[in-house]
Amino acid sequence: MTNTAKQLVSAAPRCVREQLIERLYKTTPPRTLCTNEDITMGRYRYGEIALDEYLHVQVNPRVIQYWLIFDIDDESAFYWEDNLLPVPNIIISGPSISKLAKTKEGGAHLLYAIQGVTTSLRGRRKPIAFLKYVDQGMRVKLGADEDYTGPLCKNPLHPHWKTTYLHAHEYSLNELNDFLYKPKREYGHGFDWNSVANSRNCYLFHQLRFIAYKRINYARENWRFEDWQKHLFEVSESINNFDGFGLKKEYPLKYKELQSIAKSVASWTWQKYYPNHNRGVAGTWLYQIPIQTIALAQREGARYTHQKRRKTSEELIKQAIRKLKDTGLKLTQKNIANETGLTRQTVAKYKQLI
């Protein structure tokens, strides 16, 4: 360990500090990018020299990522605590001395130690995509600078910065992902949410229309159009939350915007959307306690289908009875079955109507 590293003061136990310093020396590339002033004009130096002498240093190799780094404007850097995110391993804060810095207040860099993910062309696509997803999700939750892409960060071992070592745990991406809020998205067949514009209006519109597609059958049978529009407006209010979607703006839409979207979806579905299925017609989504199992949903759907079929059979039998009376034919189960197209056994179940 270098003399510079030994001079660092931290609130954490010495063993934690030593473990993290050792990890920094291991993960920093043998020849790494570093600078003392302009972070856009770095130079390559040996890793140990860079960690000992330079203000900014590259701690992640080009082809593998060992640290998630977030640039926080607020020097206190406790956004992670306010947003119930996991504790960072290292917090580096202090005023900037760069000539290009807009202010001298500086900010802070939060470093999360993660299990290495290969990011080169030879790396596997799914781990790389998962890494990007977790990185973006935490960046949004922390309110970190979206324009910061690295590779340089504040050097934790330089005495100019105030460095706090909190713990030496190495996070897996799954651990970090567990702390991120995962909004429920409604899905349509073959619909790709990644193709949706980065807009709250677009997200709410698509969410609302997918919900409407599942409920329009029930609405047509039981409500007027005004009731349907009112219902969709209430639904839009309940989903007017964009936390976790990774949008630039996450605050709720205004009343008039909700009203406009709900009216648009209500009008189109009521006038033009006639699905070739009975999904949602049983109205199970009206339950105050949501249905938790597919089996229960299927049972409710079967009950509705049975009631609907029974009602249709009763109407057919009543019409057949009137017609037989008008023609003077005898009211027998066989004659009624011939007239309705139902089986004699089915007609027998409705003998109270004869």
Side-chain angles (χ1 to χ4, degrees), residues 8-17 78 89 91 162-167:
L8 293 173
V9 179
S10 171
R14 182 178 178 81
C15 59
V16 171
R17 184 171 71 250
F78 281 100
N89 297 82
I91 299 177
K162 178 184 176 182
T163 304
T164 305
Y165 301 92
L166 297 174
H167 64 90

PDB file of all heavy atoms in Angstrom, residues 8-17 78 89 91 162-167:
ATOM      1  N   LEU A   8      -5.076   8.412   4.061  1.00  0.00           N
ATOM      2  CA  LEU A   8      -6.517   8.635   3.936  1.00  0.00           C
ATOM      3  C   LEU A   8      -7.223   8.370   5.253  1.00  0.00           C
ATOM      4  O   LEU A   8      -6.915   7.422   5.967  1.00  0.00           O
ATOM      5  CB  LEU A   8      -7.088   7.716   2.856  1.00  0.00           C
ATOM      6  CG  LEU A   8      -6.607   8.030   1.432  1.00  0.00           C
ATOM      7  CD1 LEU A   8      -7.099   6.966   0.491  1.00  0.00           C
ATOM      8  CD2 LEU A   8      -7.094   9.389   0.996  1.00  0.00           C
ATOM      9  N   VAL A   9      -8.209   9.203   5.532  1.00  0.00           N
ATOM     10  CA  VAL A   9      -8.991   9.063   6.758  1.00  0.00           C
ATOM     11  C   VAL A   9     -10.412   8.688   6.373  1.00  0.00           C
ATOM     12  O   VAL A   9     -11.004   9.281   5.492  1.00  0.00           O
ATOM     13  CB  VAL A   9      -9.000  10.377   7.567  1.00  0.00           C
ATOM     14  CG1 VAL A   9      -9.848  10.225   8.820  1.00  0.00           C
ATOM     15  CG2 VAL A   9      -7.581  10.767   7.919  1.00  0.00           C
ATOM     16  N   SER A  10     -10.985   7.716   7.029  1.00  0.00           N
ATOM     17  CA  SER A  10     -12.336   7.258   6.706  1.00  0.00           C
ATOM     18  C   SER A  10     -13.080   6.928   7.975  1.00  0.00           C
ATOM     19  O   SER A  10     -12.490   6.584   8.994  1.00  0.00           O
ATOM     20  CB  SER A  10     -12.270   6.027   5.805  1.00  0.00           C
ATOM     21  OG  SER A  10     -13.538   5.485   5.667  1.00  0.00           O
ATOM     22  N   ALA A  11     -14.428   7.038   7.856  1.00  0.00           N
ATOM     23  CA  ALA A  11     -15.263   6.697   9.012  1.00  0.00           C
ATOM     24  C   ALA A  11     -15.432   5.200   9.146  1.00  0.00           C
ATOM     25  O   ALA A  11     -15.912   4.718  10.164  1.00  0.00           O
ATOM     26  CB  ALA A  11     -16.633   7.356   8.858  1.00  0.00           C
ATOM     27  N   ALA A  12     -15.088   4.447   8.107  1.00  0.00           N
ATOM     28  CA  ALA A  12     -15.263   3.000   8.132  1.00  0.00           C
ATOM     29  C   ALA A  12     -14.071   2.332   8.799  1.00  0.00           C
ATOM     30  O   ALA A  12     -12.996   2.915   8.915  1.00  0.00           O
ATOM     31  CB  ALA A  12     -15.407   2.476   6.708  1.00  0.00           C
ATOM     32  N   PRO A  13     -14.222   1.093   9.255  1.00  0.00           N
ATOM     33  CA  PRO A  13     -13.097   0.371   9.855  1.00  0.00           C
ATOM     34  C   PRO A  13     -11.949   0.241   8.867  1.00  0.00           C
ATOM     35  O   PRO A  13     -12.140   0.198   7.661  1.00  0.00           O
ATOM     36  CB  PRO A  13     -13.711  -1.005  10.171  1.00  0.00           C
ATOM     37  CG  PRO A  13     -15.170  -0.758  10.261  1.00  0.00           C
ATOM     38  CD  PRO A  13     -15.461   0.342   9.298  1.00  0.00           C
ATOM     39  N   ARG A  14     -10.768   0.155   9.383  1.00  0.00           N
ATOM     40  CA  ARG A  14      -9.568   0.105   8.561  1.00  0.00           C
ATOM     41  C   ARG A  14      -9.586  -1.091   7.613  1.00  0.00           C
ATOM     42  O   ARG A  14      -9.152  -1.011   6.466  1.00  0.00           O
ATOM     43  CB  ARG A  14      -8.330   0.050   9.457  1.00  0.00           C
ATOM     44  CG  ARG A  14      -7.015   0.055   8.687  1.00  0.00           C
ATOM     45  CD  ARG A  14      -5.841   0.059   9.643  1.00  0.00           C
ATOM     46  NE  ARG A  14      -4.584   0.007   8.919  1.00  0.00           N
ATOM     47  CZ  ARG A  14      -4.001   1.045   8.366  1.00  0.00           C
ATOM     48  NH1 ARG A  14      -4.587   2.232   8.440  1.00  0.00           N
ATOM     49  NH2 ARG A  14      -2.851   0.919   7.742  1.00  0.00           N
ATOM     50  N   CYS A  15     -10.090  -2.235   8.062  1.00  0.00           N
ATOM     51  CA  CYS A  15     -10.083  -3.427   7.217  1.00  0.00           C
ATOM     52  C   CYS A  15     -10.919  -3.215   5.960  1.00  0.00           C
ATOM     53  O   CYS A  15     -10.553  -3.690   4.884  1.00  0.00           O
ATOM     54  CB  CYS A  15     -10.579  -4.639   8.004  1.00  0.00           C
ATOM     55  SG  CYS A  15     -12.250  -4.459   8.650  1.00  0.00           S
ATOM     56  N   VAL A  16     -12.041  -2.494   6.065  1.00  0.00           N
ATOM     57  CA  VAL A  16     -12.871  -2.206   4.895  1.00  0.00           C
ATOM     58  C   VAL A  16     -12.103  -1.326   3.929  1.00  0.00           C
ATOM     59  O   VAL A  16     -12.082  -1.559   2.713  1.00  0.00           O
ATOM     60  CB  VAL A  16     -14.192  -1.532   5.311  1.00  0.00           C
ATOM     61  CG1 VAL A  16     -14.949  -1.035   4.087  1.00  0.00           C
ATOM     62  CG2 VAL A  16     -15.045  -2.483   6.119  1.00  0.00           C
ATOM     63  N   ARG A  17     -11.437  -0.303   4.452  1.00  0.00           N
ATOM     64  CA  ARG A  17     -10.655   0.605   3.612  1.00  0.00           C
ATOM     65  C   ARG A  17      -9.548  -0.147   2.870  1.00  0.00           C
ATOM     66  O   ARG A  17      -9.338   0.049   1.674  1.00  0.00           O
ATOM     67  CB  ARG A  17     -10.057   1.720   4.481  1.00  0.00           C
ATOM     68  CG  ARG A  17      -9.313   2.778   3.687  1.00  0.00           C
ATOM     69  CD  ARG A  17      -8.937   3.976   4.549  1.00  0.00           C
ATOM     70  NE  ARG A  17      -7.883   3.642   5.500  1.00  0.00           N
ATOM     71  CZ  ARG A  17      -8.072   3.542   6.813  1.00  0.00           C
ATOM     72  NH1 ARG A  17      -9.285   3.701   7.318  1.00  0.00           N
ATOM     73  NH2 ARG A  17      -7.068   3.270   7.624  1.00  0.00           N
ATOM     74  N   PHE A  78     -26.294  11.852  -0.506  1.00  0.00           N
ATOM     75  CA  PHE A  78     -27.066  10.863   0.244  1.00  0.00           C
ATOM     76  C   PHE A  78     -28.393  10.546  -0.429  1.00  0.00           C
ATOM     77  O   PHE A  78     -29.338  10.114   0.217  1.00  0.00           O
ATOM     78  CB  PHE A  78     -27.304  11.354   1.680  1.00  0.00           C
ATOM     79  CG  PHE A  78     -26.110  11.162   2.558  1.00  0.00           C
ATOM     80  CD1 PHE A  78     -25.262  12.223   2.838  1.00  0.00           C
ATOM     81  CD2 PHE A  78     -25.810   9.910   3.082  1.00  0.00           C
ATOM     82  CE1 PHE A  78     -24.140  12.039   3.640  1.00  0.00           C
ATOM     83  CE2 PHE A  78     -24.695   9.721   3.887  1.00  0.00           C
ATOM     84  CZ  PHE A  78     -23.854  10.789   4.166  1.00  0.00           C
ATOM     85  N   ASN A  89     -20.224   1.530  -2.101  1.00  0.00           N
ATOM     86  CA  ASN A  89     -18.982   1.112  -1.439  1.00  0.00           C
ATOM     87  C   ASN A  89     -18.105   2.300  -1.102  1.00  0.00           C
ATOM     88  O   ASN A  89     -17.505   2.355  -0.016  1.00  0.00           O
ATOM     89  CB  ASN A  89     -18.198   0.149  -2.342  1.00  0.00           C
ATOM     90  CG  ASN A  89     -18.963  -1.132  -2.607  1.00  0.00           C
ATOM     91  OD1 ASN A  89     -19.812  -1.179  -3.472  1.00  0.00           O
ATOM     92  ND2 ASN A  89     -18.671  -2.180  -1.843  1.00  0.00           N
ATOM     93  N   ILE A  91     -17.734   6.721  -1.443  1.00  0.00           N
ATOM     94  CA  ILE A  91     -18.233   8.048  -1.793  1.00  0.00           C
ATOM     95  C   ILE A  91     -17.034   8.980  -1.876  1.00  0.00           C
ATOM     96  O   ILE A  91     -16.254   9.086  -0.925  1.00  0.00           O
ATOM     97  CB  ILE A  91     -19.236   8.581  -0.753  1.00  0.00           C
ATOM     98  CG1 ILE A  91     -20.448   7.655  -0.655  1.00  0.00           C
ATOM     99  CG2 ILE A  91     -19.676   9.997  -1.115  1.00  0.00           C
ATOM    100  CD1 ILE A  91     -21.448   8.086   0.399  1.00  0.00           C
ATOM    101  N   LYS A 162     -12.380  14.124  -0.497  1.00  0.00           N
ATOM    102  CA  LYS A 162     -12.834  13.516   0.759  1.00  0.00           C
ATOM    103  C   LYS A 162     -13.444  12.159   0.411  1.00  0.00           C
ATOM    104  O   LYS A 162     -14.500  12.084  -0.209  1.00  0.00           O
ATOM    105  CB  LYS A 162     -13.881  14.405   1.431  1.00  0.00           C
ATOM    106  CG  LYS A 162     -14.428  13.799   2.727  1.00  0.00           C
ATOM    107  CD  LYS A 162     -15.526  14.666   3.306  1.00  0.00           C
ATOM    108  CE  LYS A 162     -16.130  14.016   4.552  1.00  0.00           C
ATOM    109  NZ  LYS A 162     -17.238  14.831   5.104  1.00  0.00           N
ATOM    110  N   THR A 163     -12.772  11.090   0.798  1.00  0.00           N
ATOM    111  CA  THR A 163     -13.195   9.737   0.430  1.00  0.00           C
ATOM    112  C   THR A 163     -13.721   8.993   1.644  1.00  0.00           C
ATOM    113  O   THR A 163     -13.084   8.972   2.695  1.00  0.00           O
ATOM    114  CB  THR A 163     -12.027   8.946  -0.185  1.00  0.00           C
ATOM    115  OG1 THR A 163     -11.515   9.670  -1.311  1.00  0.00           O
ATOM    116  CG2 THR A 163     -12.487   7.569  -0.639  1.00  0.00           C
ATOM    117  N   THR A 164     -14.891   8.394   1.488  1.00  0.00           N
ATOM    118  CA  THR A 164     -15.497   7.607   2.563  1.00  0.00           C
ATOM    119  C   THR A 164     -15.681   6.178   2.073  1.00  0.00           C
ATOM    120  O   THR A 164     -16.311   5.945   1.048  1.00  0.00           O
ATOM    121  CB  THR A 164     -16.870   8.186   2.962  1.00  0.00           C
ATOM    122  OG1 THR A 164     -16.718   9.559   3.310  1.00  0.00           O
ATOM    123  CG2 THR A 164     -17.441   7.428   4.160  1.00  0.00           C
ATOM    124  N   TYR A 165     -15.111   5.247   2.822  1.00  0.00           N
ATOM    125  CA  TYR A 165     -15.233   3.825   2.504  1.00  0.00           C
ATOM    126  C   TYR A 165     -16.301   3.229   3.428  1.00  0.00           C
ATOM    127  O   TYR A 165     -16.121   3.230   4.652  1.00  0.00           O
ATOM    128  CB  TYR A 165     -13.909   3.101   2.701  1.00  0.00           C
ATOM    129  CG  TYR A 165     -12.788   3.661   1.850  1.00  0.00           C
ATOM    130  CD1 TYR A 165     -11.941   4.664   2.354  1.00  0.00           C
ATOM    131  CD2 TYR A 165     -12.576   3.196   0.564  1.00  0.00           C
ATOM    132  CE1 TYR A 165     -10.925   5.176   1.575  1.00  0.00           C
ATOM    133  CE2 TYR A 165     -11.548   3.701  -0.219  1.00  0.00           C
ATOM    134  CZ  TYR A 165     -10.727   4.697   0.290  1.00  0.00           C
ATOM    135  OH  TYR A 165      -9.720   5.201  -0.478  1.00  0.00           O
ATOM    136  N   LEU A 166     -17.362   2.721   2.869  1.00  0.00           N
ATOM    137  CA  LEU A 166     -18.493   2.273   3.677  1.00  0.00           C
ATOM    138  C   LEU A 166     -18.525   0.770   3.923  1.00  0.00           C
ATOM    139  O   LEU A 166     -18.821   0.316   5.014  1.00  0.00           O
ATOM    140  CB  LEU A 166     -19.807   2.719   3.019  1.00  0.00           C
ATOM    141  CG  LEU A 166     -19.981   4.246   2.914  1.00  0.00           C
ATOM    142  CD1 LEU A 166     -21.222   4.587   2.123  1.00  0.00           C
ATOM    143  CD2 LEU A 166     -20.036   4.869   4.297  1.00  0.00           C
ATOM    144  N   HIS A 167     -18.260  -0.015   2.902  1.00  0.00           N
ATOM    145  CA  HIS A 167     -18.246  -1.468   3.071  1.00  0.00           C
ATOM    146  C   HIS A 167     -17.544  -2.086   1.876  1.00  0.00           C
ATOM    147  O   HIS A 167     -17.332  -1.413   0.844  1.00  0.00           O
ATOM    148  CB  HIS A 167     -19.664  -2.034   3.199  1.00  0.00           C
ATOM    149  CG  HIS A 167     -20.491  -1.848   1.974  1.00  0.00           C
ATOM    150  ND1 HIS A 167     -20.542  -2.772   0.955  1.00  0.00           N
ATOM    151  CD2 HIS A 167     -21.284  -0.817   1.572  1.00  0.00           C
ATOM    152  CE1 HIS A 167     -21.340  -2.338   0.003  1.00  0.00           C
ATOM    153  NE2 HIS A 167     -21.805  -1.157   0.337  1.00  0.00           N
TER     154      HIS A 167
END
